[in-house]
Amino acid sequence: MTLDEYSNSPLSGGAKYLQQQGVPCTYLPVDISTAFLEIAARAMAPFVARICPIHATFETCSGRIPSSAYEHTAYCMIGLTFMNFMPDRILPLLKEISRDQGR
């Protein structure tokens, strides 16, 4: 994926919308590729207040998300990664990542 392709993705569109609404966002890209993390960070930099790349697999990323990311309301824009998982595996992972406490 090129920087131009990423800049025109639905993810950047969501971030652009939130920026226009005055909502400061923290972007937490997760990838096993440092190259894709760098592309994502460059593409999203104009639209978010902070970027915290997470070099990890989707299954292991929850322990690497900074606790400050949970201090505000979260807008989650999930790419297609979750389509690689069966529902009985991805739903518990998403719950773990969100640090859901029954809310």
Side-chain angles (χ1 to χ4, degrees):
M1 179 176 281
T2 67
L3 185 57
D4 287 337
E5 289 169 329
Y6 200 94
S7 295
N8 292 314
S9 73
L11 178 62
S12 63
K16 288 176 190 177
Y17 173 79
L18 292 174
Q19 179 192 45
Q20 291 168 348
Q21 302 306 307
V23 178
C25 294
T26 298
Y27 178 52
L28 298 123
V30 176
D31 209 303
I32 58 172
S33 166
T34 55
F36 278 114
L37 286 173
E38 291 171 10
I39 290 170
R42 282 196 319 268
M44 295 298 287
F47 311 110
V48 297
R50 187 172 76 148
I51 300 171
C52 300
I54 300 172
H55 185 231
T57 64
F58 200 64
E59 297 91 338
T60 62
C61 72
S62 69
R64 298 178 185 195
I65 297 173
S67 58
S68 62
Y70 298 96
E71 294 173 358
H72 304 285
T73 301
Y75 296 92
C76 185
M77 294 176 255
I78 300 174
L80 295 177
T81 300
F82 73 96
M83 297 294 288
N84 295 325
F85 297 88
M86 296 300 293
D88 61 338
R89 179 69 181 121
I90 193 59
L91 294 175
L93 267 175
L94 291 174
K95 187 173 183 174
E96 178 185 336
I97 291 167
S98 71
R99 295 190 185 170
D100 180 24
Q101 298 172 358
R103 298 183 264 150

